[in-house]
Every structure is written in structure tokens, then in C-alpha cells.
Amino acid sequence: MASDQNVNPNDPSPYPSADAAHAAAMEFLLGRIDYERALAVPYRAREFKLDRMRQLLRRLGDPQRTMPIIHIAGTKGKGSTAAMIGAILTAAGHRAGLFTSPHFERIEERLAVDAVPCSAEEFTALIQHIRPEVEAMDRLVAEEDAEEDPDESGPTYFEITTAMALLHFARRKVDAAVLEVGLGGRLDSTNVCEPCVSVITSISFDHTRQLGTTLAAIAREKAGIIKPGVPVVSGVVEDEPRETIRKICRTRGCRLVERAVDFEFRYDAPRHMERKEEAGRFDFCWHGRDADDASAAAYDAVPLRLLGPHQAANAAVALATIGELQRAGWKLPEAAIRKGLGEVSCPGRIEIVRRRPVVVIDTAHNGASIEALVGVLRESFSVGRRLLMFAATQEKDLRGMLDHLLGAFDHVVFTRYKENPRAVPPEQLQALAQELTASATERFAVFADPDEAWEAIRRAAGPEDLICITGSFFIAAEMRRRAGV
């Protein structure tokens, strides 16, 4: 099917017109249990019930069965990898659905077709369609399960938005849907799908309270998306989690395609990004594939709009996934690959939102992603002073993040985000920073209000300096709006 970024106004729409019902629909959705905003996030079968998700989808006609699905898990890189695969599919003329989370400004961003978020009108109609089924499930819980488990609930916020995405993609008749896992993998609501390819981008320490305190344990949870006989693409290179994934693939009879075994990449970073827009370049090659294999193409000097070697690693995983689709008969020419990777956009991924001074916003929120951010800032920016605005989320590896950050910045402002209750008090961040560096208090400013923090750091920065805002998706989203993007 030919790709189109906008619905033809002459085509009959599957959605009724939106009106004041939008507010009521959003009130219903926002009233559901939302673990993205919970102070303590569980990850147990008691709260994350795949049977509940399957029941909701059955009530909706099982929309997930109407399309091929690429399912993507990983500690970091899964959102960028999903966006890259979607961009390549679109560039090749295939209509591609993309489900990601969380969102920056509008919840509709989570449900995109050919990189265009669904409209408020469409989103309202989806909630209106799903709400009666959710309320019917709520009644069943109240009637049948209350005595056995008083904490039992109906579908959650994330389960409902997952179902909405799948229904939206089915209605738009996408040629493929790319689904990003929300949390973990094994118990995530997206894990009810039967994908054509399963992808694990990386394994590092994050959500350790929910997923485990070893890389092997985290890998087991992420690898819960692996389905019997479905090919798996893995960007994991560390021995412990890689062996865990290998064992699961062997047990489930899956073809496994691995970075550093089956494919690899080389990255050339752009320079002086403080004053010009420039894409990086990367080379991609296969190891040991037959020359007559249509999926064995190597690619040289591919433009990559997203910055950093970690994004090149994500692009390599995306291309290996494209290779698996090509093996299955998909037409995905090199021109589409170059166009997709050269144009793909991921807000908040080392995103330059201003210059003079240059302002970079990044969603890094664990030690590995912070380390990658610091490396890119050193390699691709030549600036005067470097100033950091940092806010973080409870249960994250604060020490690990600050270990990487504090030596890379001349001045640090600690704050908290407003729109989610899980923010760490900035005074706690300051105390930890002083413990780690034995620095004087004057080096670390504290502002409870992020708007005040932004004004202070903006005033302190000269035109040749760099301001970096990072530590959480939520502070990145709030300050991206504040910075005028």
C-alpha cells in the first residue's frame, strides 16, 4: 500500500467528528491506573496481567492480528530504533504504524502512522469506542473478583493506550506496526502480539527493582517478548545478557541475529554541532552472509540524523531488522534506507533546540545513556563552558548518572519536574553531588521550580557556552516546551 502522511479528506473516515466529548474522553483515560506516574512501580503478574490485555483486545476484534508487527524491547535505544524502522518502512512506500511511550506534548504522539500522530478527533473516537468494553470489564472485576482480590482492577492507562494504538493501526490499514515495549517485556501489555520479528536493542541497568539486579535477570525479562519460531535481532554485546538471550532463543527455536557476530557498524561523528546542522555517517556490514542473500547488503556512508555512536548502534539493529524483513520478501531498497535514516526525528535525543548558547535536551535517565550523552557532547561540540540542568526520577541510579556528569560540566543546576510526582527533590541531588565530588556548595545551584532553574542557567550562560538539560524524560519534555520548541 502506498504511504500517505495525511488522510485523504475525500475518503470516508472511520472516525466521527470530535467535539466537547474530547474532554470527557481524556478524563476517563487519565482516571485509569497509570504506572508512569506511580511513586512505586510494580512489575508483577498481579498488576501486569496479559490475560486482561488479551480479553480487552478480543472485545475489540483482535486488531493486532490484522497486521505484521515488529516488537522492540531493550533498556535503551528501543524508541529510536522503532522510529528508524518506521521511517525506513515509510520511505519504502509502506504505511507504518508506530507505538511509543511516553509522549512529549500530546498523548496522541504515541499513536503515529507514517510519523504523523493521530489527531485529537481520532483519539477521542478511539476512547469512545473502547470505553464501553473497559467499563464492562470493570463491572466483571467488581462482581467476580472483588471478594478474592480487593486490589484487582480493570484495564490500566497503558493497556488502554496500547489497545487504542492497535485499533488505530487496524483502521488505518497499516502495512506494518512497530511496537515499543513500555516496561520490561515479559509482562508488558504489548507482549500479547505475535510479531514477525522480535528485537532487543540493549541491556543495561535500569528499573532494577522491577526487573532484577543482574544483567542476566534484566535480559530474561526483556527476552520475554521472544516467541517460538520468530526471528530475533539483538544489539546486546555484553557476555552475560547475550548468553541469556541465546539460551532463550535456542529453547524457543528462534533464528538469532546478533551484533558483533552477524553484523557490525562503524560511525563517523559530525563536528562543531554548536554552529551547524550536520548528519553523522555510518557503515553497516554483515558477517558471514552469502553474497546471493538479498538481505546481505552492506551500506557505506549512510547519513544518520540522530547524533552519537549509540544511535549508530541503534541504526545497525534497525538495519539488521530490515534485513529480516527483506528475507521474508519485503521490498526495502537502499534508497529508502538512506532516506529514512537521514530524515528520522526523535525529540529529546541529544536534540539541539537553540544556539548561542547551544541548548541540548536529552532524555537520558540511566548510567549507560548518560555516559553516551557525555561522549557525544565532548566529541561533537566545541564550546566554552558547559552548564548542566538536571532532574531525575525516584528509583533511578542517581549515583551512576552523576558519576558521569559531574566531571563533564563547569556548573550544575538541580531542579525537579512539575508534571509527575516521581521527581527526586533537588536538595537530595545536591547532597549526593557534594558527596561524590567534595565540591563547594556554590558549584551546585538548587531550584525547586524548573522555570526558575531555566532562567538562572540561561542568564549564567554566554553565547559560546553549552547548556544541557537531562536526567529524565519528564524534565526533557517540560523544558523542551519552555525552551520554545
Side-chain angles (χ1 to χ4, degrees), residues 173-410:
K173 296 181 173 60
V174 300
D175 298 313
V178 186
L179 304 185
E180 177 195 1
V181 166
L183 173 64
R186 179 175 61 93
L187 299 177
D188 190 76
S189 66
T190 61
N191 202 28
V192 298
C193 71
E194 292 294 332
C196 59
V197 185
S198 301
V199 182
I200 302 175
T201 57
S202 67
I203 300 293
S204 57
F205 289 107
D206 198 12
H207 297 294
T208 53
R209 183 172 296 183
Q210 293 81 17
L211 305 181
T213 57
T214 67
L215 293 181
I218 295 170
R220 278 192 293 272
E221 290 299 327
K222 304 288 186 184
I225 71 167
I226 295 173
K227 304 297 192 302
V230 175
V232 175
V233 175
S234 172
V236 178
V237 294
E238 297 81 6
D239 290 340
E240 182 183 5
R242 183 166 63 179
E243 187 54 37
T244 298
I245 294 167
R246 286 173 176 174
K247 288 178 180 178
I248 292 172
C249 286
R250 286 195 294 268
T251 300
R252 299 181 185 175
C254 301
R255 166 187 168 81
L256 174 61
V257 179
E258 298 177 288
R259 181 185 154 195
V261 175
D262 301 291
F263 65 93
E264 197 48 277
F265 71 94
R266 187 180 66 84
Y267 178 67
D268 290 327
R271 310 289 178 178
H272 300 294
M273 292 297 293
E274 72 281 357
R275 62 174 186 250
K276 62 181 179 180
E277 290 286 350
E278 183 179 335
R281 295 287 188 274
F282 88 110
D283 304 330
F284 174 88
C285 67
W286 291 101
H287 299 314
R289 288 216 172 176
D290 295 335
D292 58 354
D293 187 338
S295 67
Y299 304 100
D300 296 327
V302 178
L304 183 61
R305 182 177 178 185
L306 301 180
L307 287 174
H310 62 297
Q311 293 291 10
N314 294 334
V317 171
L319 285 189
T321 306
I322 292 298
E324 290 306 294
L325 295 177
Q326 290 170 328
R327 283 175 61 90
W330 287 70
K331 304 301 182 185
L332 299 163
E334 180 175 349
I337 290 169
R338 291 181 177 276
K339 179 178 173 61
L341 294 182
E343 297 180 355
V344 66
S345 175
C346 288
R349 273 68 166 190
I350 311 186
E351 182 183 14
I352 302 168
V353 298
R354 288 191 180 188
R355 286 187 168 86
R356 297 189 58 80
V358 62
V359 179
V360 175
I361 292 180
D362 191 68
T363 59
H365 56 267
N366 66 14
S369 53
I370 288 289
E371 183 178 18
L373 166 64
V374 169
V376 173
L377 295 181
R378 285 175 173 157
E379 185 173 45
S380 293
F381 294 85
S382 299
V383 295
R385 294 186 308 148
R386 296 168 187 259
L387 298 86
L388 172 67
M389 179 173 168
F390 184 81
T393 300
Q394 296 176 29
E395 300 186 358
K396 296 295 184 179
D397 179 15
L398 306 179
R399 184 177 295 269
M401 289 192 283
L402 291 177
D403 268 339
H404 291 297
L405 286 167
L406 295 178
F409 289 89
D410 302 293

Side-chain angles (χ1 to χ4, degrees), residues 5-170:
Q5 293 199 358
N6 297 291
V7 178
N8 187 332
N10 297 318
D11 288 344
S13 173
Y15 302 100
S17 60
D19 52 19
H22 177 73
M26 291 303 300
E27 182 180 5
F28 165 76
L29 180 60
L30 296 175
R32 307 303 298 187
I33 293 173
D34 182 3
Y35 290 120
E36 292 175 14
R37 298 179 58 83
L39 292 178
V41 182
Y43 188 73
R44 302 168 297 186
R46 177 177 175 178
E47 290 85 8
F48 289 71
K49 293 192 171 184
L50 294 188
D51 286 345
R52 181 172 59 206
M53 186 67 197
R54 292 187 184 100
Q55 181 186 154
L56 176 58
L57 289 174
R58 279 197 299 271
R59 289 171 171 270
L60 299 173
D62 284 321
Q64 78 280 9
R65 296 183 180 176
T66 67
M67 68 201 80
I69 290 174
I70 298 99
H71 197 196
I72 304 179
T75 304
K76 57 188 182 70
K78 58 185 185 291
S80 297
T81 303
M84 292 177 191
I85 293 170
I88 292 170
L89 288 169
T90 295
H94 303 286
R95 181 174 291 171
L98 179 63
F99 176 60
T100 58
S101 61
H103 58 274
F104 266 91
E105 296 183 9
R106 299 170 48 236
I107 190 173
E108 292 89 347
E109 295 167 14
R110 300 184 182 214
L111 288 60
V113 175
D114 290 338
V116 178
C118 80
S119 66
E121 177 183 12
E122 292 171 326
F123 200 83
T124 299
L126 288 166
I127 295 177
Q128 290 173 332
H129 184 88
I130 288 177
R131 181 171 181 170
E133 305 303 334
V134 172
E135 291 175 336
M137 292 176 66
D138 287 344
R139 289 192 293 271
L140 285 175
V141 169
E143 294 167 2
E144 299 177 3
D145 297 327
E147 292 184 6
E148 296 180 9
D149 186 356
D151 295 325
E152 176 68 10
S153 68
T156 66
Y157 171 95
F158 191 77
E159 289 167 347
I160 294 169
T161 54
T162 303
M164 290 170 63
L166 293 166
L167 182 60
H168 181 57
F169 299 156

